[in-house]
């Protein structure tokens, strides 16, 4: 197996997008698969100069092995961070202080400094339990779900101490810590409602959202509200972007979309980026909150639009996404400074 710490040189390639002629930069080689973690987890360092991602770059040394890498946005180099046996690529997350990162290697929750490859196990999921989801609270607590004997529990691990904080009858599909608040948003499998629970397990409540099917959801960086896609039963109708405020119980329409399959806000939630689920218009777009206007950035042409999941860089000057249009999954970047004002990395 390739050793952690191994460095690979720049693989990027620039090209003009066929639809918009904007410059797109392919950051990783499509000869092997690479991708980003779950959109709600921290993948950029605060300054935006490094990106945590997964890749099968050295799979020849260990067939099919996905490992964590750190991408240097200035030099284009990637440094291998892990030697995991069974990395969950969607559990990769930088720590709140940028000094380390977290991930699940099979049943083992690992914590490692970014500066060296010396991970330590901070929790082991019970052998008969099924783990799902991962989110990191502002205080550094790692939260996830364990399902055992027909029941789910939300578990918090802080300073290597694990404790269950909430029991749930159904199987939890996803959970997201609320930024700047000691609360957790979660959903169970199926077309279930959003629920919110305090960090100590108290105050569990269902949130009032638009009736019907919901899709991609994310907190805005300030934590005041979360956004989600509402999917109509009639496929001829447009997918809409909505915003929910748990504190005052309001839920409002932000805009109709060109059939977004995923959506993500920039640092001040003034602009959103999304990927179209339509194969006829397989685009990455931005949506301006005030004008409710969409702008097409580039084609994604992914075989499965669900993989694209575009996100803004911390300063809102770039959008990064995943596509397999040139081979296997690779990371892409398009600069949006001409359309979006630069933001601070820290939400106001």
């Amino acid at each position: 197996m390739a050793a952690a710490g191994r460095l690979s040189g720049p693989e990027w390639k620039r090209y003009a997008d066929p639809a918009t002629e904007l410059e797109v930069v392919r950051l990783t080689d499509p000869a092997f698969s690479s991708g980003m973690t779950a959109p709600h987890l921290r993948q950029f360092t605060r300054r935006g100069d490094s990106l945590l991602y997964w890749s099968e770059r050295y799979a020849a040394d260990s067939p099919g092995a996905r490992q964590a890498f750190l991408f240097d946005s200035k030099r284009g180099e990637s440094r291998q961070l892990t030697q995991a046996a069974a990395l969950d690529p969607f559990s990769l997350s930088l720590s709140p202080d940028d000094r380390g990162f977290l991930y699940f290697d099979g049943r083992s929750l690992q914590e490692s400094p970014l500066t060296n490859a010396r991970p330590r196990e901070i929790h082991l999921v019970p052998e008969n339990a099924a783990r799902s989801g991962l989110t990191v609270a502002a205080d550094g607590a790692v939260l996830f779900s364990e399902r055992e004997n027909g029941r789910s529990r939300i578990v918090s691990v802080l300073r290597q101490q694990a404790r269950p904080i909430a029991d749930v009858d159904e199987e939890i599909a996803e959970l997201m810590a609320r930024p700047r608040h000691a609360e957790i948003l979660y959903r169970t499998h199926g077309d279930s409602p959003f629920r919110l629970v305090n960090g100590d397990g108290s105050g569990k409540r269902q949130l009032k959202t638009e009736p019907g099917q919901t899709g991609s959801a994310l907190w805005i960086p300030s934590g005041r509200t979360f956004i989600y896609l509402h999917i109509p039963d009639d496929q001829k109708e447009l997918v809409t972007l909505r915003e929910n405020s748990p504190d005052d119980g309001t839920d409002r329409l932000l805009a109709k979309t060109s059939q977004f399959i995923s959506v993500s806000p920039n640092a001040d939630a003034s602009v959103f980026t999304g990927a179209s689920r339509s194969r006829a218009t397989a685009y990455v777009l931005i949506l301006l909150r005030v004008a409710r206007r969409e702008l097409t950035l580039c084609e994604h042409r992914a075989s499965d639009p669900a993989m694209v999941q575009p996100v803004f860089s911390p300063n809102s000057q770039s959008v990064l996404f995943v596509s397999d249009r040139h081979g296997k999954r690779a990371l892409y970047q398009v600069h949006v400074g001409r359309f979006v004002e630069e933001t601070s990395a820290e939400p106001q």
Side-chain angles (χ1 to χ4, degrees):
M1 181 182 290
R6 186 171 177 177
L7 197 67
S8 61
E11 298 162 350
W12 48 30
K13 181 177 180 180
R14 303 173 187 274
Y15 65 92
D17 180 72
T20 65
E21 297 187 354
L22 291 177
E23 183 180 76
V24 181
V25 185
R26 192 180 66 214
L27 303 177
T28 59
D29 191 334
F32 47 80
S33 292
S34 301
M36 294 187 286
T37 187
H40 68 276
L41 296 176
R42 288 197 64 233
Q43 49 199 318
F44 295 98
T45 53
R46 282 195 181 87
R47 295 180 180 178
D49 51 6
S50 296
L51 169 71
L52 180 67
Y53 74 102
W54 63 265
S55 180
E56 297 177 359
R57 179 175 282 104
Y58 301 131
D61 300 322
S62 183
R66 292 178 173 180
Q67 301 297 340
F69 288 81
L70 193 67
F71 176 78
D72 185 320
S73 61
K74 294 181 179 179
R75 298 179 180 177
E77 297 174 337
S78 290
R79 177 167 56 90
Q80 184 176 342
L81 298 177
T82 61
Q83 290 177 260
L87 175 73
D88 176 358
F90 304 108
S91 68
L92 286 168
S93 181
L94 291 166
S95 60
D97 61 8
D98 270 2
R99 295 179 180 177
F101 68 105
L102 302 140
Y103 61 96
F104 266 103
D105 183 2
R107 295 165 43 225
S108 178
L109 177 59
Q110 300 278 322
E111 181 180 53
S112 177
L114 280 176
T115 53
N116 61 60
R118 296 181 180 176
R120 61 173 179 169
E121 182 178 272
I122 59 175
H123 180 71
L124 186 65
V125 175
E127 190 172 356
N128 296 325
R131 193 268 312 172
S132 63
L134 183 141
T135 187
V136 183
D139 64 358
V142 186
L143 303 149
F144 50 90
S145 168
E146 291 179 347
R147 186 165 179 81
E148 192 173 14
N149 299 324
R151 292 186 62 82
S152 296
R153 57 180 174 265
I154 298 175
V155 178
S156 171
V157 179
L158 181 63
R159 301 182 186 93
Q160 294 187 271
Q161 297 295 315
R163 63 184 180 94
I165 60 173
D167 289 326
V168 179
D169 290 332
E170 301 168 274
E171 184 176 356
I172 294 175
E174 60 179 321
L175 65 168
M176 293 179 283
R178 185 178 184 182
R180 301 188 175 192
H181 297 71
E183 293 177 315
I184 308 154
L185 182 74
Y186 71 94
R187 282 190 286 187
T188 56
H189 280 287
D191 192 18
S192 61
F194 293 100
R195 293 182 172 91
L196 200 65
V197 63
N198 294 331
D200 61 3
S202 65
K204 187 189 301 182
R205 66 189 193 275
Q206 180 176 319
L207 301 181
K208 185 178 179 181
T209 54
E210 184 73 2
Q213 186 178 355
T214 56
S216 171
L218 281 175
W219 288 107
I220 69 168
S222 70
R224 295 189 187 100
T225 62
F226 70 92
I227 57 170
Y228 68 97
L229 295 175
H230 183 263
I231 305 167
D233 293 330
D234 185 348
Q235 295 185 356
K236 294 180 181 180
E237 295 183 13
L238 294 176
V239 174
T240 57
L241 175 62
R242 301 188 67 88
E243 184 172 39
N244 186 282
S245 175
D247 294 336
D248 60 20
T250 59
D251 189 277
R252 66 191 186 101
L253 174 70
L254 288 182
K256 294 182 178 180
T257 77
S258 55
Q259 304 303 69
F260 280 10
I261 193 170
S262 58
V263 66
S264 180
N266 71 333
D268 64 6
S270 62
V271 186
F272 309 94
T273 182
S276 174
R277 68 183 65 209
S278 169
R279 294 189 181 277
T281 55
Y283 299 138
V284 175
L285 309 101
I286 57 174
L287 190 158
L288 309 179
R289 177 190 282 265
V290 174
R292 297 189 177 187
R293 177 189 174 197
E294 284 186 0
L295 299 173
T296 300
L297 297 178
C298 59
E299 297 178 340
H300 64 71
R301 296 297 171 190
S303 61
D304 179 4
M307 79 171 66
V308 183
Q309 294 192 323
V311 294
F312 280 98
S313 60
N315 65 0
S316 303
Q317 295 300 280
S318 294
V319 167
L320 286 86
F321 63 95
V322 175
S323 176
D324 58 359
R325 65 174 302 168
H326 294 129
K328 295 184 178 180
R329 296 186 184 203
L331 273 59
Y332 293 78
Q333 180 182 47
V334 57
H335 292 284
V336 296
R338 61 191 288 187
F339 309 116
V340 183
E341 291 186 7
E342 186 170 356
T343 56
S344 167
E346 294 295 325
Q348 300 301 313

